[in-house]
Amino acid sequence: MNEVNNKVLMQTHKLGKTFSHGGTQQHVLKNLDLTLYHGDFTIIMGSSGSGKSTLLYAISGMDKPTLGEVLFEGQDITAMSNDQLAIFRRKNCGFVFQQIHLLDTMSVLDNVLSSAFLVQKDRAGAVKKAKELLSDVGLDDSIWGKFPAQISGGEAQRAGIIRALINSPKAVFADEPTGALNSSAGIGVLRVLTEVNKQGQSIIMVTHDLKTALRGNRILYLRDGIIVGDLRLSPYSEDSGPERQQQLQSFLTELGW
Amino acid sequence: MRSLIGKLTWSNIRKRKSATITLFILIMIAVLLLNIGLTVSLKLNSFQQDKISKLNTPDITAYFPLNENVKNYESLVDSYPYTETWENEAALLLPDVKINYGGNNTAIAFLILNKDSQRSMGLFNTTSRLEPADQNTIYLPYIFHGGSGYNLGDTISFEYGNNQFTYTIGGFTEEPLFGTLTNGALKIFLNDEGYKQLEERLGKEVQFNFLSVQLNERAKEVKLEQKLSEQIFGSGNTSSFLVMRTDGGLEGNRVFVNILAAILIVFALIMVVISLIVIRFQILGNIEDNLTNIGVLKANGYTSRQIISSFLLQFVSVSIMASIPGSLISVLVMPLVGNMISSSVGLLWPTTFELLSALLSLLIVTVLILLVAYLSSRKIRRITPIAALQSGLLTHNFKKNHFPLASTSLNLQFALSLKSLFRQTKQNFMIVLIVAGLTFSSIFCSILNFNFKGDTSAVLDLVGLERTNLQLDLKKAGHDQGIFAEVEAMPEVQKISILEGRVASINDSSFMLRVSDDYAKLETQTVYKGRQPIYDNEIAVSGVIAKMKNKSIGDEIPVTFNGVTQNYLVTGLSQQINQLGMVASITEDGMRKLQPNYSVQSINVYLKEGEDSQVFIQKLEERLPGQWNVTNILDMLESTLSTFTAAVSSMTAVITAVTIIVVSLILYLVIKTLIMKRKREFGILKGIGYNTFNLMTQITFSLFPVIVAGVVLGCLAGYFYSDSVFVLLLSSLGIYNVQLAVSLPQVLLLCAVILVVAYAVSMLVARRIRKVSVYDLIMD
């Protein structure tokens, strides 16, 4: 548990997700009971097909589970309609995708504002905040007016993170945010996420990369739709010694990673 | 390789099922309309000619009162060098019969013949017949069945003078000339007993002769008609009479059917153009969506030609498949159209399948589709495999960031809608074009409908008929002209005018010479350039005559009447459908230059608002007994127009319905394609918290301004240019200028209906986005 904060962010009870394909059913998540906390940088790991992304989208209100419930700060989001979920997401969640998913028909700044204006009434304030946040992650005004196809993947993903953060969500859900980036761009993105987590932002991130996972302070390991491992680590810092990596390595090795 | 192209085609069709179905429906409607329009256009003339041959309709027909001059008319016809054969039979003319026609009490002229008389021309022919017949059996023109709903065996009553007559309908006759209300009287048959009884009951006053003449060189010689008219006039006849050439009469009957067929064809062509635009839109969209696949195919050795062929095969097979049901439906619809035509031309329309029209429609549509499909898919040649494999990276266009959110004060949803609106300019152009074309068609038909049903003055101006309540013909010639002033002084009368017609000629071309003392008094103004004659040396000629004789305003033109020729100065150009547009107007004094003893024999009487024609006729008879033959012109005009109003109304309803269906289909297609193409974008927006309604609104408002623009354009074009299109349709009839009456509320209502339907359909189709989960949208 995060030493700074032990307040529950969300809980799942008997969470299940089943996909049907031409008559055959695939149970991707099976009776998951899980509690996530405010301020944590939670990492979800597991082999391919273990249900990592499915879990991420089920607990974030992006997709509806087949069974069980998800309580976000005590509120059951599984009972919500699609439109209620949309309103829930815009107020509480930020999303960072592996494929970045910026709207390629809008400029970088408009991508961020398209999210900001949904929630914030003070438009001028939102514009100011968006510009500040973009500048904070190294995207200066020469980038703001550009379209996603005109900037690098790393720049685009940083813009994606700012879009996720612009409404100060209670949780940021990141699905392999560095998966499509080269190493240096990936590090830049992780720095941003680490920084905002230090400022108290809860992050739930899916990854299969060990170095990326090291950024988290809680590691959940998923196998065949069940959480089979839950490791607590000290919060990440640039000065963290090799023992932190060894701790994670042995945790994963134990689970057959 | 051929089967590979087939496989590619099939995979394209399968991937875009709903788009294919939409296109299928569009092409089907286009072929249906085109087939009907072509069938009517191709068959109308030959169908009338076939009936003429079958019934041996004479080249020249005349009816006139039975009197001592008839022998002279007969000898004129007999001695005429080009007369092949002629016959004259007794007839009864009831010029002002009050009868229920199409649900209204109206005035119609009846020319009654004895069914059992021997005749070789203008044969008696019924579509079906009720047996046995007796003296109370009447045989009516087919329009009483097709246009007014009377059936065989029904009882029909009418009033003439102060007498009431009741008959049983024994059959509906086919009659090319006197079978409709456009050529004066309707030809009615009674059997021998019934005819004699009626003749006895009505007396000498209604006894007429019906003369039929067959010419041997009909195309060249037109003089007999004129000579006969001159002789009838010359013999001092003042009662109703008519001399008509078959060509002219047929043309008169055909005019409105031709107009309707032309509208149908134009609308069908608009539909074809819309289908072509949709095909182009689909092919370009298809290429864009399948760039990677095209790259893979090219990389694997497919030639551009093979890939293009798959597109061509796809669209041509859809067009051929859609043409088949289109043609089949036209077989089902044709009887309804045929009935409309039968009601308008008085002849039973044969309901046979017209293979030529069907093949022609198929050919026109397929060739055009092939052409557009080829032109649209040609760009595949220019795409290299690598560019295609990179998903069109090279074709990516960084456009301007419209409505930047940071600086816009617009509502967020609206700003996002406008952003996408400005991104899809090509598609917008397509929609504007389609919606404007359809709106224009609907508005045009609605305006036409209003001119036939509401304010009929423009149509009557075109036809050239004077809008008066009554026409009074003096029974005896040479009466004191002061009698007209006496009529004018009656309290019910608003005004009187003089407008008489004589058959005259200009350099051997026969035409109707109209005579009036003051053209300004007339309600129907036919002059579209210059002015009507004021002085005795002036003449206004129709555009048709001016063109034929190569004359214009300011030129002199020689007019011959009764062997006398005088030159007149052209002061104006007129137009009218009646008399095939062969009309000219001179003053009363001008007429005296041709016929020094000319005196006016008939007047038009315009009653004051609210005055009843029947009451007035009675008062007139009491005041000036036995002086007049009265014709209720207004009632006749209304009943004449009523034969076309049903057809025009149906046409308007069909075109408006098709417009709404097509606009809905196009919106369905566009929105569905848009959702498919922007699935990822909508997924992201949903993911960051936009709800279904937000996205529906965005989709709708990214299209709605374009629809509004199309409707506004179509509406303005309809409002301002319907006249020009109508002139174009009537140009072959010598019509050069039309000012149709427009009901602005009707036009606005129609536009509002199209907009409301478009909005509802957009929201409804955009609602599909609700079904798609955000997870699927992003993960797809």
Side-chain angles (χ1 to χ4, degrees):
Chain A
M1 192 181 295
N2 190 326
E3 288 164 12
V4 184
N5 200 335
N6 60 0
K7 208 171 136 196
V8 171
L9 173 68
M10 63 167 74
Q11 285 181 304
T12 69
H13 294 301
K14 308 282 180 202
L15 188 69
K17 178 76 185 177
T18 303
F19 291 104
S20 297
H21 300 287
T24 56
Q25 292 193 321
Q26 191 189 356
H27 303 289
V28 180
L29 297 178
K30 298 166 189 165
N31 291 329
L32 269 178
D33 287 332
L34 174 67
T35 303
L36 299 175
Y37 300 94
H38 273 286
D40 273 353
F41 194 145
T42 306
I43 305 290
I44 303 172
M45 295 187 79
S47 55
S48 288
S50 59
K52 304 185 294 285
S53 294
T54 306
L55 175 62
L56 188 82
Y57 290 121
I59 61 175
S60 61
M62 193 75 108
D63 194 15
K64 285 191 169 182
T66 328
L67 282 170
E69 58 185 18
V70 177
L71 301 175
F72 193 98
E73 290 192 328
Q75 190 185 10
D76 184 3
I77 65 167
T78 49
M80 288 180 178
S81 68
N82 284 337
D83 280 351
Q84 285 171 326
L85 278 175
I87 294 164
F88 160 78
R89 285 194 302 268
R90 73 168 75 146
K91 286 182 179 163
N92 299 292
C93 310
F95 292 93
V96 182
F97 305 98
Q98 180 182 2
Q99 298 87 348
I100 306 171
H101 286 324
L102 285 183
L103 296 166
D104 51 14
T105 52
M106 283 191 204
S107 68
V108 167
L109 183 59
D110 275 3
N111 260 284
V112 177
L113 293 177
S114 65
S115 193
F117 286 180
L118 258 184
V119 176
Q120 300 174 41
K121 299 289 169 225
D122 173 15
R123 286 197 178 191
V127 173
K128 189 169 172 249
K129 184 178 174 185
K131 288 178 176 175
E132 280 170 7
L133 287 174
L134 286 168
S135 300
D136 287 349
V137 297
L139 302 176
D140 59 26
D141 57 358
S142 65
I143 302 284
W144 300 344
K146 287 188 174 169
F147 286 89
Q150 294 171 297
I151 57 176
S152 72
E155 288 170 329
Q157 192 58 294
R158 276 180 275 155
I161 293 171
I162 300 308
R163 182 179 65 185
L165 292 172
I166 189 71
N167 291 328
S168 311
K170 286 175 181 156
V172 167
F173 297 88
D175 187 3
E176 306 212 29
T178 58
L181 305 177
N182 63 33
S183 153
S184 66
I187 290 170
V189 165
L190 289 175
R191 266 193 200 127
V192 173
L193 289 173
T194 308
E195 195 54 41
V196 293
N197 174 248
K198 275 186 183 163
Q199 290 159 18
Q201 176 66 58
S202 310
I203 298 174
I204 299 105
M205 180 168 81
V206 166
T207 185
H208 60 263
D209 177 59
L210 187 70
K211 283 189 177 166
T212 305
L214 275 173
R215 301 278 171 164
N217 68 320
R218 186 182 179 193
I219 317 294
L220 299 171
Y221 194 84
L222 214 61
R223 186 190 296 144
D224 295 332
I226 298 166
I227 292 173
V228 291
D230 184 349
L231 174 70
R232 282 265 158 208
L233 291 172
S234 54
Y236 177 84
S237 94
E238 296 287 342
D239 309 326
S240 297
E243 62 277 8
R244 203 168 177 280
Q245 186 171 343
Q246 280 165 7
Q247 195 184 352
L248 175 61
Q249 184 82 59
S250 58
F251 165 75
L252 294 173
T253 310
E254 210 172 287
L255 291 165
W257 191 62
Chain B
M1 272 303 184
R2 260 187 203 161
S3 67
L4 286 174
I5 292 171
K7 274 183 190 166
L8 272 177
T9 304
W10 182 236
S11 93
N12 280 344
I13 292 175
R14 266 196 319 186
K15 247 193 282 175
R16 296 176 156 237
K17 278 194 277 284
S18 56
T20 307
I21 293 169
T22 309
L23 186 65
F24 184 92
I25 297 172
L26 281 175
I27 296 174
M28 193 177 74
I29 296 173
V31 170
L32 167 69
L33 295 172
L34 202 58
N35 195 12
I36 293 174
L38 283 175
T39 304
V40 174
S41 301
L42 293 176
K43 226 163 113 174
L44 187 62
N45 194 29
S46 63
F47 144 79
Q48 277 184 315
Q49 291 303 331
D50 290 349
K51 296 281 179 183
I52 283 171
S53 307
K54 184 180 158 196
L55 301 171
N56 198 22
T57 304
D59 294 323
I60 289 179
T61 316
Y63 59 76
F64 37 77
L66 174 67
N67 56 31
E68 64 285 358
N69 297 312
V70 170
K71 287 282 164 222
N72 298 334
Y73 310 152
E74 287 179 350
S75 62
L76 169 74
V77 170
D78 194 51
S79 62
Y80 193 69
Y82 299 109
T83 300
E84 193 173 272
T85 171
W86 66 272
E87 63 191 22
N88 190 17
E89 64 176 300
L92 306 174
L93 184 79
L94 283 56
D96 193 18
V97 169
K98 312 284 177 303
I99 192 166
N100 186 297
Y101 183 86
N104 297 316
N105 286 321
T106 186
I108 299 175
F110 275 9
L111 180 75
I112 298 174
L113 298 182
N114 184 340
K115 173 177 86 70
D116 301 321
S117 293
Q118 283 298 312
R119 65 177 68 82
S120 64
M121 287 177 266
L123 302 174
F124 170 78
N125 178 55
T126 54
T127 55
S128 55
R129 208 182 297 186
L130 188 74
E131 299 289 356
D134 59 20
Q135 75 272 19
N136 286 322
T137 305
I138 193 164
Y139 301 92
L140 300 169
Y142 184 77
I143 57 161
F144 276 87
H145 176 63
S148 188
Y150 285 102
N151 288 309
L152 215 59
D154 282 359
T155 300
I156 187 164
S157 297
F158 60 84
E159 191 186 316
Y160 178 69
N162 289 321
N163 300 309
Q164 187 78 23
F165 300 89
T166 301
Y167 289 94
T168 305
I169 300 174
F172 294 103
T173 59
E174 287 196 277
E175 164 57 43
L177 297 174
F178 301 103
T180 72
L181 300 166
T182 25
N183 286 328
L186 283 175
K187 201 166 164 188
I188 312 282
F189 288 93
L190 293 173
N191 57 26
D192 191 50
E193 205 180 342
Y195 180 85
K196 283 177 179 154
Q197 271 186 11
L198 186 68
E199 187 178 31
E200 199 173 316
R201 192 167 161 191
L202 292 177
K204 206 170 173 336
E205 194 177 294
V206 298
Q207 288 180 354
F208 269 59
N209 267 186
F210 186 67
L211 181 73
S212 306
V213 185
Q214 233 26 312
L215 301 173
N216 53 20
E217 279 200 49
R218 60 186 74 170
K220 286 182 190 167
E221 192 52 57
V222 291
K223 283 293 203 186
L224 180 61
E225 179 198 1
Q226 189 191 343
K227 283 181 191 285
L228 191 56
S229 289
E230 283 175 1
Q231 191 157 7
I232 297 173
F233 269 120
S235 59
N237 179 68
T238 58
S239 301
S240 307
F241 79 93
L242 180 111
V243 182
M244 182 164 62
R245 273 188 77 85
T246 300
D247 307 348
L250 288 182
E251 189 66 41
N253 276 353
R254 251 201 323 253
V255 167
F256 288 99
V257 180
N258 272 334
I259 293 172
L260 295 184
I263 294 173
L264 212 58
I265 289 178
V266 170
F267 189 63
L269 289 176
I270 290 178
M271 291 298 301
V272 173
V273 171
I274 289 170
S275 307
L276 296 177
I277 296 172
V278 170
I279 286 172
R280 190 176 152 72
F281 173 69
Q282 274 200 37
I283 292 180
L284 295 180
N286 218 327
I287 293 172
E288 206 176 302
D289 290 351
N290 288 308
L291 263 180
T292 316
N293 290 347
I294 290 170
V296 172
L297 289 171
K298 282 196 166 186
N300 284 332
Y302 276 79
T303 62
S304 296
R305 201 172 144 192
Q306 283 171 325
I307 300 169
I308 291 170
S309 300
S310 75
F311 281 108
L312 297 189
L313 187 62
Q314 178 187 347
F315 290 102
V316 168
S317 53
V318 171
S319 86
I320 292 174
M321 301 233 275
S323 296
I324 296 166
S327 298
L328 289 177
I329 296 171
S330 73
V331 174
L332 299 176
V333 177
M334 205 53 220
L336 303 175
V337 179
N339 194 36
M340 271 196 267
I341 296 169
S342 300
S343 315
S344 299
V345 300
L347 300 169
L348 198 61
W349 182 265
T351 51
T352 49
F353 179 66
E354 278 298 297
L355 190 64
L356 179 67
S357 312
L359 289 176
L360 213 56
S361 316
L362 175 72
L363 195 72
I364 293 171
V365 171
T366 309
V367 166
L368 286 174
I369 284 174
L370 202 62
L371 188 73
V372 167
Y374 175 71
L375 291 175
S376 312
S377 55
R378 227 173 21 165
K379 78 183 244 187
I380 288 174
R381 282 182 200 280
R382 296 196 300 272
I383 303 171
T384 61
I386 192 66
L389 282 168
Q390 287 168 347
S391 256
L393 209 61
L394 299 178
T395 60
H396 206 100
N397 186 10
F398 301 114
K399 290 166 192 156
K400 198 184 158 203
N401 184 24
H402 296 285
F403 299 97
L405 294 180
S407 54
T408 183
S409 55
L410 292 169
N411 166 286
L412 177 63
Q413 306 305 332
F414 193 54
L416 291 177
S417 306
L418 289 178
K419 267 178 178 292
S420 77
L421 173 80
F422 278 81
R423 275 206 313 267
Q424 51 208 22
T425 41
K426 269 188 190 166
Q427 179 186 293
N428 293 343
F429 187 65
M430 170 191 97
I431 297 175
V432 167
L433 218 63
I434 291 174
V435 175
L438 290 169
T439 307
F440 175 78
S441 312
S442 297
I443 299 283
F444 176 72
C445 279
S446 145
I447 288 175
L448 217 55
N449 195 32
F450 179 70
N451 279 270
F452 273 87
K453 282 178 110 170
D455 184 348
T456 55
S457 51
V459 174
L460 292 177
D461 277 352
L462 285 181
V463 176
L465 298 171
E466 175 60 7
R467 290 191 300 280
T468 174
N469 293 85
L470 302 167
Q471 184 184 312
L472 307 184
D473 294 292
L474 278 170
K475 283 185 177 169
K476 285 175 194 156
H479 207 287
D480 175 15
Q481 302 285 304
I483 197 169
F484 299 145
E486 212 173 329
V487 174
E488 193 169 18
M490 287 175 72
E492 297 83 3
V493 176
Q494 184 207 334
K495 67 171 178 184
I496 64 165
S497 75
I498 292 166
L499 184 66
E500 294 192 315
R502 300 284 186 270
V503 179
S505 62
I506 298 171
N507 302 337
D508 284 347
S509 303
S510 255
F511 70 97
M512 177 57 67
L513 183 62
R514 305 192 328 159
V515 183
S516 178
D517 62 334
D518 184 359
Y519 283 95
K521 275 188 175 176
L522 300 178
E523 294 292 316
T524 299
Q525 292 298 335
T526 55
V527 166
Y528 66 90
K529 196 174 176 189
R531 61 163 176 82
Q532 289 282 18
I534 298 171
Y535 303 106
D536 65 355
N537 64 339
E538 292 180 345
I539 191 168
V541 297
S542 66
V544 178
I545 293 180
K547 203 172 168 187
M548 187 190 280
K549 302 293 170 195
N550 198 20
K551 300 282 180 191
S552 58
I553 295 173
D555 290 344
E556 279 207 335
I557 201 161
V559 176
T560 307
F561 178 76
N562 221 4
V564 180
T565 302
Q566 287 287 340
N567 277 337
Y568 293 87
L569 186 72
V570 178
T571 58
L573 299 177
S574 67
Q575 56 181 11
Q576 69 174 66
I577 294 170
N578 231 9
Q579 314 293 338
L580 298 179
M582 291 292 286
V583 181
S585 313
I586 56 172
T587 62
E588 204 180 325
D589 292 337
M591 185 64 201
R592 289 205 179 90
K593 287 171 73 178
L594 291 167
Q595 187 187 4
N597 62 347
Y598 169 78
S599 67
V600 176
Q601 304 301 326
S602 71
I603 53 168
N604 293 318
V605 176
Y606 308 78
L607 298 179
K608 285 179 183 161
E609 188 92 24
E611 292 295 341
D612 186 86
S613 304
Q614 293 309 317
V615 176
F616 174 75
I617 293 168
Q618 271 181 5
K619 283 188 183 169
L620 182 74
E621 197 53 34
E622 284 162 16
R623 191 155 169 179
L624 300 162
Q627 308 272 10
W628 311 98
N629 285 321
V630 183
T631 314
N632 196 330
I633 299 288
L634 205 60
D635 280 3
M636 285 181 80
L637 291 179
E638 275 169 13
S639 46
T640 306
L641 280 185
S642 74
T643 46
F644 305 110
T645 45
V648 175
S649 298
S650 310
M651 179 82 83
T652 309
V654 167
I655 289 183
T656 307
V658 170
T659 299
I660 286 172
I661 291 171
V662 172
V663 169
S664 307
L665 277 176
I666 301 283
L667 283 174
Y668 170 77
L669 183 71
V670 165
I671 293 173
K672 202 161 171 274
T673 313
L674 185 143
I675 290 175
M676 216 164 69
K677 276 171 89 171
R678 291 169 58 193
K679 212 171 176 180
R680 185 179 147 273
E681 184 184 336
F682 290 130
I684 297 165
L685 288 169
K686 263 199 168 184
I688 61 176
Y690 284 81
N691 61 24
T692 305
F693 186 74
N694 293 151
L695 298 183
M696 280 164 63
T697 314
Q698 274 181 40
I699 292 170
T700 300
F701 280 96
S702 72
L703 291 169
F704 202 60
V706 186
I707 309 265
V708 173
V711 168
V712 169
L713 269 179
C715 184
L716 288 174
Y719 189 82
F720 291 109
Y721 295 105
S722 282
D723 293 347
S724 316
V725 173
F726 201 49
V727 166
L728 208 65
L729 291 176
L730 296 175
S731 55
S732 62
L733 299 167
I735 298 298
Y736 302 94
N737 186 16
V738 181
Q739 275 166 348
L740 292 168
V742 182
S743 160
L744 195 59
Q746 268 188 24
V747 169
L748 294 178
L749 184 71
L750 191 62
C751 293
V753 168
I754 297 173
L755 285 177
V756 167
V757 171
Y759 180 77
V761 170
S762 304
M763 286 299 270
L764 217 63
V765 182
R767 217 161 160 258
R768 297 170 69 91
I769 203 143
R770 194 176 143 199
K771 286 188 201 157
V772 193
S773 91
V774 53
Y775 183 75
D776 293 338
L777 283 169
I778 292 179
M779 292 300 154
D780 195 37

